[in-house]
Amino acid sequence: MPSEDAAPQLDVDQILADPGVRIVVCCGAGGVGKTTTAAALALRAAEQHGRRTVVLTIDPARRLAQSLGLTELDNTPRQVKGIDVEASGGELHAMMLDMKRTFDDVVLAHTDPTKAAEIFANPFYQAMSSTFAGTQEYMAMEKLGQLHARGEWDLIVVDTPPSRSALDFLDAPARLSRFLDGRMLRLLLAPARSGGRSMFSLVTASFGMFSKVVQKVLGAQLLTDLSGFVAALDSMFGGFRQRAEQTYRILQAGETAFLLVATPEPDAVREAAYFAGRLREEKMPLAGLVLNRVHRPVVPKLDAERSRAAAERLAELGGHDGTADVLRAHAALARQAVREQQVAARFTEAFPAVPAVSVTAQPADVHDVDGLRTIGAAISRS
Ligand SMILES: Nc1ncnc2c1ncn2[C@@H]1O[C@H](COP(=O)(O)OP(=O)(O)OP(=O)(O)O)[C@@H](O)[C@H]1O
Ligand SMILES: [Mg+2]
């Protein structure tokens, strides 16, 4: 029978305690427990390993944010009070990413105030800085770069955006920075600006067509805004790409540990496997897989078949309805556990050397420090 135990055991405490590890990135498909895992690991690093830790959370549930003392989006780390760090001497700081504020800060840092004001007033910038696909991923990387550059923390734990695909975290920043670099936009807009007689005359026809289509789809006003936006961004040319590349290099460094989070469901495990493959290609250090929300029967030795047979036998005898119900429930849970192990085994078969650990599904959502502590202990098997 395939089993997750075939994978080497992931030792999260070893990672959290290692002074050489400065960044832990929690990645995975939407809704698998990235934010919970990131917060739980950061808390554990501070409480158990005495590290001065900061966790960058992205869109945390309101109750979880409140329990970390994050009542407002101020885009800067705040120390979390009331945790148990007396013995360890660690610290926990937490922040929520405000993608628009981060974008504004980047603009302010790289251009003069007049140009910045021009950019801020541009409707295209306003739309893009708050809603554009990929902006959140880019800004998460930007913020990671900023936190890293401040050099104030022993350990930075990074949550990643609730993207549909885990790979967006790696792909979107490059895509967005290519776009912001303006080369593509310049090409696109060149024929329109020069009345079709540009140095790109060879391609004018097709680009002309293209910008006509864009104009039709986006509207003339938006194209004018876009054009103004690109002109205003000229002073920052290249900066965006450079910064994304810089952070990319930090992610490739030995001080970084990626943790993949997945639930034992086919889509989440497939996503984790894609991501693991990609990290290998990019030479980014994958530390392990956290298999979250797994189900474990209370009596693992009693398998589903025997439990169901016993329930049927009791039902035939009559008078033991309660016991028969418990046996049926146990059988269902045991079947689910086997199914989950089979799904998880797909990952381990593809990446047998990647260490893994399972975290049991809690009876309720994790939204306070105690809950995070429980998850942290479960990930560490302690
Ligand atoms: N082991 C667990 N047991 C029970 N509930 C859990 C567990 N792990 C996470 N949860 C709950 O599952 C929900 C989703 O978790 P979380 O927000 O951490 O996922 P996410 O991957 O960050 O989601 P998104 O992709 O939307 O950002 C939350 O309500 C959280 O409390
Ligand atoms: Mg999340």
Side-chain angles (χ1 to χ4, degrees), residues 76-361:
T76 173
R78 296 264 168 248
Q79 187 162 359
V80 180
K81 306 276 186 223
I83 60 168
D84 191 5
V85 285
E86 226 164 85
S88 73
E91 279 176 28
L92 177 62
H93 299 246
M95 67 165 289
M96 289 190 263
L97 178 76
D98 179 336
M99 87 176 156
K100 176 149 176 41
R101 286 267 297 270
T102 306
F103 208 156
D104 290 355
D105 290 345
V106 173
V107 170
L108 278 171
H110 289 88
T111 190
D112 61 73
T114 322
K115 278 250 172 61
E118 223 174 277
I119 294 175
F120 293 155
N122 189 296
F124 186 78
Y125 174 77
Q126 288 164 5
M128 181 159 130
S129 58
S130 44
T131 57
F132 198 74
T135 303
Q136 202 170 29
E137 284 82 359
Y138 180 91
M139 293 307 150
M141 274 213 193
E142 176 69 40
K143 201 73 202 176
L144 166 61
Q146 286 174 15
L147 292 173
H148 186 260
R150 275 168 68 173
E152 285 178 36
W153 292 280
D154 301 333
L155 181 68
I156 304 171
V157 183
V158 187
D159 173 22
T160 50
S163 325
R164 192 178 41 81
S165 158
L167 285 174
D168 281 350
F169 178 66
L170 291 180
D171 290 335
R175 219 167 38 228
L176 184 73
S177 61
R178 266 199 307 276
F179 179 76
L180 289 173
D181 260 2
R183 258 169 254 178
M184 188 185 90
L185 289 172
R186 243 181 293 270
L187 273 176
L188 174 67
L189 297 166
R193 280 194 204 153
S194 57
R197 288 194 163 273
S198 68
M199 58 186 287
F200 301 106
S201 56
L202 272 177
V203 285
T204 297
S206 56
F207 274 114
M209 274 290 282
F210 192 31
S211 45
K212 270 200 203 93
V213 173
V214 172
Q215 189 154 345
K216 218 169 168 179
V217 176
L218 297 179
Q221 182 56 44
L222 192 60
L223 201 60
T224 311
D225 293 341
L226 189 56
S227 186
F229 178 57
V230 172
L233 275 185
D234 259 359
S235 59
M236 300 167 69
F237 187 78
F240 284 100
R241 188 187 294 209
Q242 236 172 40
R243 301 167 71 75
E245 279 169 5
Q246 232 168 38
T247 314
Y248 219 67
R249 275 196 294 280
I250 296 174
L251 293 178
Q252 284 172 323
E255 63 182 330
T256 301
F258 276 89
L259 282 179
L260 276 172
V261 186
T263 45
E265 289 152 12
D267 285 353
V269 168
R270 198 176 313 120
E271 196 66 43
Y274 280 147
F275 202 89
R278 184 60 192 283
L279 289 177
R280 195 161 57 186
E281 273 169 34
E282 305 276 356
K283 298 191 170 49
M284 289 181 176
L286 173 57
L289 173 74
V290 175
L291 201 60
N292 189 27
R293 305 189 86 153
V294 304
H295 295 86
R296 285 200 190 97
V298 186
V299 193
K301 283 199 176 123
L302 178 57
D303 70 33
E305 261 322 296
R306 277 164 57 209
S307 184
R308 200 180 52 82
E312 273 170 21
R313 181 81 187 106
L314 279 181
E316 280 165 24
L317 293 171
H320 299 281
D321 287 354
T323 313
D325 284 347
V326 170
L327 284 166
R328 273 192 210 99
H330 171 83
L333 198 57
R335 262 198 305 275
Q336 184 172 1
V338 169
R339 249 193 332 265
E340 290 181 353
Q341 280 179 3
Q342 287 166 344
V343 171
R346 291 179 203 163
F347 182 91
T348 303
E349 277 158 20
F351 298 93
V354 174
V357 69
S358 300
V359 176
T360 314

Side-chain angles (χ1 to χ4, degrees), residues 35 58-59 159-160:
T35 304
I58 296 166
D59 274 349
D159 173 22
T160 50

